[in-house]
Amino acid sequence: MSASNRVSDTANPSVDLSGEEGWNEFDAPSLVGDSLRFVSGEPDGNRFRTRYYRDAEQHLHARIWFGPETEGPPGHAHGGSIAAVMDEALGLAAWAAGYPIVVGNLNVSFRAMLPIKKVVTLESQVVSVEGRKVMIHGKLFCDEETVYAEGQCLCITIPGR
Ligand SMILES: CCCCCCCCCCCCCCCC(=O)SCCNC(=O)CCNC(=O)[C@H](O)C(C)(C)COP(=O)(O)OP(=O)(O)OC[C@H]1O[C@@H](n2cnc3c(N)ncnc32)[C@H](O)[C@@H]1OP(=O)(O)O
């Protein structure tokens, strides 16, 4: 790859993170402060760019751009980058639903290679609450046929918060 190509690879591209009709933008930092810096901390950077939304049923969703710095297999996202997104988004889904939690267990199934420099959608749902255990499921996809990853996230509420 020539030097000029490398420059254009890391140039600051504009990325469309707009949501679906009926989604309302969700102000995550006002709920959890700086806790989202690892994934969402550089909104104009070349790793992740994220924007969170809630639908009419208050499920949390996100548009996420996997930038060139998430690369693992050539041209595709590193599995750890996908797991980091699941950890943040599914944990945040529990907080957004009113549960102050940390993630106790996160299961990620990688279903298809995720091309970098692509905007994908994350959808989540609180599927059960039993005592301190809040189970959130999520998937990362670009359309109905193309699911990149599925996550099951067991969150545990933190006493006293
Ligand atoms: C201080 C924080 C400030 C936060 C400020 C804002 C934060 C805003 C965040 C926004 C969103 C970011 C999302 C990122 C989310 C992360 O990345 S959090 C960081 C990664 N996670 C961690 O570091 C957690 C580390 N683990 C722990 O701290 C402790 O193990 C836990 C999870 C709190 C549980 O410990 P514990 O309170 O002693 O609870 P324990 O009695 O062992 O278990 C309670 C129940 O949960 C079950 N359980 C616990 N762990 C597991 C497990 N791994 N598998 C299955 N079951 C389990 C137990 O079996 C038990 O079940 P029951 O007997 O009640 O049926």
Side-chain angles (χ1 to χ4, degrees), residues 43-98:
D44 300 315
N46 275 317
R47 187 154 287 140
F48 305 103
R49 299 186 196 176
T50 55
R51 194 172 298 163
Y52 286 102
Y53 297 90
R54 285 209 285 195
D55 64 20
E57 293 168 348
Q58 302 303 304
H59 300 307
L60 190 81
H61 305 304
R63 294 279 202 230
I64 301 163
W65 179 72
F66 281 78
E69 292 176 12
T70 65
E71 188 171 30
H76 295 85
H78 191 290
S81 72
I82 294 170
V85 162
M86 287 282 184
D87 184 50
E88 174 172 305
L90 302 187
L92 180 64
W95 277 83

Side-chain angles (χ1 to χ4, degrees), residues 31-33 35-36 86-93 95 101-106 130-133 154-159 161:
L31 178 64
V32 295
S35 299
L36 305 180
M86 287 282 184
D87 184 50
E88 174 172 305
L90 302 187
L92 180 64
W95 277 83
I101 55 85
V102 287
V103 171
N105 180 269
L106 175 62
E130 288 170 29
R132 293 177 57 201
K133 295 181 281 191
L154 176 66
C155 300
I156 311 295
T157 57
I158 311 161
R161 284 190 66 101

Side-chain angles (χ1 to χ4, degrees), residues 102-152:
V102 287
V103 171
N105 180 269
L106 175 62
N107 230 336
V108 181
S109 298
F110 302 104
R111 298 291 186 199
M113 306 273 280
L114 194 166
I116 55 169
K117 300 186 240 174
K118 186 174 179 68
V119 175
V120 296
T121 302
L122 182 138
E123 288 188 354
S124 77
Q125 197 168 0
V126 179
V127 297
S128 66
V129 181
E130 288 170 29
R132 293 177 57 201
K133 295 181 281 191
V134 182
M135 178 60 82
I136 315 285
H137 286 182
K139 70 174 178 176
L140 208 51
F141 63 98
C142 68
D143 55 49
E144 278 182 23
E145 284 82 47
T146 317
V147 175
Y148 297 111
E150 292 167 326
Q152 291 101 36

